[in-house]
Structure formats: C-alpha cells, structure tokens
C-alpha cells in the first residue's frame, strides 16, 4: 500500500510538470554581443562587416560602419528566440521566402568560430520567418530590414563627428565673393560675424539663420561614399583647396 501511494504521488508530480521534451526552439540569447566580431550577409544586398578594435568596418574596403545600424543588428541577433515552429521541412522554404532565391543569409562569428547561421525570410507584421537548419520559425520583433540594407545605408556617412554645441568657429571661403568667419559668442551663445564689415550696406545679420547654418554644417551626412574618385570635371571640385 505504501509503495502504491509513493508511485501515485510520483505519477501526479510528473503529470503536473509541463514537459518540453520534443519541443523545438530557436534561441540565440546565449550569444554575447561582445563576442561577435564578424557579420556576413548574403542576399539582394550582400555585405561583410568586421570589428577592428572597438570599430566596425566594411570588410572589403575598411570604411566605417554606421554605429546605430550595427548596434541594432547585434541587439536583434542576440534577442532572437522562438518556439513557434511552422515547419520542419526545407521543402516549404520558398513559401516563407527563406530559400536561396529570396532569403537573406546571415552568418555571425567570433573570428572563425560560428555563433549563428540562419536565413531570414518574409515579414509577417512585426515578425519574420527564420530558417535555422531545416526548421522554420516565426520570430517576433524581428524584421528583414534590419539585415537587408543597401551598402550606403550600412556606411557611417557623417561628415563630422561632432555636435553643433561643440563648434566654436566656422570659416567660409567662397569663390564668387568675399570669405567670412562665423564665431560663437560664449557669453550670449549667439553666432556672429567675426568681421561685421563684410556685410553689404544696409544688410542686417540674421542670428537665427546663422544658428541654423552651423547646425546644418555640423550634422552634414553624405548620401553615399564612392569607392573611386570621379572625374574632377563632374564634381566641379578642381578649384577647391
């Protein structure tokens, strides 16, 4: 009788505990962002990025990577987790666009050590289909746009790494008229001409316009960064110092 009661209690305990045996999960949360130093993306916009010291660069040309974009990618990869398995068959890869034709193949490494290897497919709301091996999952809070970008979007296109508040002087050299300097009055925090005599007669200096101009210059961002210098005749920069 005692043996029967013990067996019954053990059975009840086993039935009360939810078993996860047989459940297939996708989980990259154990990967530390600090361990990642190589990212390889293959698809419509293929690119490889490597970490050089504390700085991410494009592998092919050494150009700096936009810090916000690479941070978002690393955060997304290390937060990928799902038990929503939609298929265990690669035969359905085209249906979810995780095939070689439409999928975005992402490889995450620490030097030569493979940390993650997956294909991201089509979006479904704020989720995306991800193929890991033969398994296809629907993963929430992951979209393919985080990985599928034009090369120019991955680049750090900021001309200057500063803020308008850090700028104290701007010198403007014009080819068609007199040059001038803008200086910041540290007492009033206003921008003014270093030499007011350069103003044409009866013209009033616009402090607000000068502030907007300084802000624009300090935050200038290129549309793209060319791999090769174009002909000077096309750029009209042949007379620039």
């Amino acid at each position: 009788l005692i043996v029967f009661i013990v067996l019954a209690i053990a059975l009840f305990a086993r039935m009360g505990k939810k078993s996860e045996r047989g459940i297939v999960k996708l989980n990259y949360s154990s990967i530390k962002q600090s361990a990642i130093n190589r990212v390889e993306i293959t698809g419509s916009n293929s690119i490889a990025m490597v970490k050089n010291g504390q700085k991410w660069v494009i592998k092919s040309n050494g150009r700096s990577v936009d810090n916000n974009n690479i941070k978002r990618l690393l955060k997304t990869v290390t937060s990928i987790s799902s038990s929503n398995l939609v298929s265990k068959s690669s035969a359905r890869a085209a249906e979810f666009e995780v095939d070689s034709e439409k999928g975005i193949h992402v490889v995450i490494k620490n030097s030569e050590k493979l940390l993650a290897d997956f294909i991201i497919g089509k979006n479904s709301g704020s989720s995306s289909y991800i193929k890991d091996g033969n398994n296809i999952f629907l993963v929430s809070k992951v979209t393919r746009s985080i990985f599928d970008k034009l090369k120019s979007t991955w680049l750090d296109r900021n001309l200057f790494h500063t803020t308008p508040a850090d700028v104290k002087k701007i010198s403007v050299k014009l080819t068609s008229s007199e040059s001038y300097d803008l200086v910041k009055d540290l007492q009033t925090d206003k921008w003014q001409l270093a030499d007011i005599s350069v103003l044409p007669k009866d013209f009033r200096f616009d402090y607000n316009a000068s502030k907007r101009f300084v802000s624009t210059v300090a935050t200038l961002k290129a549309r793209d960064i060319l791999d090769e210098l174009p002909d000077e005749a096309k750029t009209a920069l042949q007379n620039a110092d």
Side-chain angles (χ1 to χ4, degrees), residues 134-159:
N134 290 325
N135 297 321
I136 303 172
F137 297 86
L138 182 61
V139 184
S140 63
K141 299 180 182 179
V142 177
T143 58
R144 67 183 281 142
S145 62
I146 296 172
F147 304 90
D148 188 18
K149 299 180 185 295
L150 296 172
K151 185 181 74 171
S152 59
T153 307
W154 284 114
L155 289 171
D156 178 2
R157 293 170 290 145
N158 294 299
L159 269 64

Side-chain angles (χ1 to χ4, degrees), residues 63-212:
R63 296 192 184 278
S64 298
V65 170
D66 181 84
N67 197 43
N68 291 330
N69 282 335
I70 191 66
K71 277 186 174 181
R72 188 181 181 198
L73 182 147
L74 297 178
K75 182 179 179 180
T76 299
V77 168
T78 55
S79 65
I80 289 177
S81 178
S82 177
S83 57
N84 189 355
L85 179 67
V86 295
S87 178
K88 291 184 178 181
S89 173
S90 291
R92 298 185 66 188
E95 177 185 347
F96 301 107
E97 297 183 5
V98 289
D99 56 344
S100 58
E101 181 181 352
K102 294 185 178 180
I104 306 299
H105 187 190
V106 181
V107 175
I108 305 296
K109 294 181 178 179
N110 177 292
S111 298
E112 294 302 320
K113 181 182 178 181
L114 183 65
L115 301 178
D117 185 343
F118 60 92
I119 299 175
I120 184 165
K122 66 181 181 180
N123 293 334
S124 177
S126 60
S127 304
S128 289
Y129 293 97
I130 289 181
K131 182 173 178 286
D132 182 284
N134 290 325
N135 297 321
I136 303 172
F137 297 86
L138 182 61
V139 184
S140 63
K141 299 180 182 179
V142 177
T143 58
R144 67 183 281 142
S145 62
I146 296 172
F147 304 90
D148 188 18
K149 299 180 185 295
L150 296 172
K151 185 181 74 171
S152 59
T153 307
W154 284 114
L155 289 171
D156 178 2
R157 293 170 290 145
N158 294 299
L159 269 64
F160 312 107
H161 291 86
T162 186
T163 65
D166 296 326
V167 182
K168 300 297 184 288
K169 179 181 178 180
I170 290 184
S171 296
V172 180
K173 186 175 182 180
L174 305 174
T175 57
S176 58
S177 61
E178 192 171 355
S179 302
Y180 61 90
D181 294 332
L182 285 172
V183 293
K184 190 175 186 178
D185 187 325
L186 300 181
Q187 299 296 323
T188 63
D189 204 37
K190 286 186 177 181
W191 284 90
Q192 58 190 17
L193 285 166
D195 180 7
I196 200 71
S197 67
V198 300
L199 273 177
K201 186 179 179 180
D202 297 327
F203 271 70
R204 179 178 60 85
F205 184 74
D206 191 329
Y207 294 100
N208 290 328
S210 64
K211 184 178 180 180
R212 290 193 298 270

Side-chain angles (χ1 to χ4, degrees), residues 2 4-5 10 20 27 42 57 66 86 140 183 200 205 207 214 240:
I2 295 174
F4 176 77
I5 293 172
E20 293 190 348
N27 194 339
T42 307
V57 298
D66 181 84
V86 295
S140 63
V183 293
F205 184 74
Y207 294 100
V214 171

Side-chain angles (χ1 to χ4, degrees), residues 41-53:
I41 300 174
T42 307
S44 53
N45 296 296
S46 298
I47 196 166
M49 296 172 284
V50 295
K51 193 175 184 181
N52 186 1

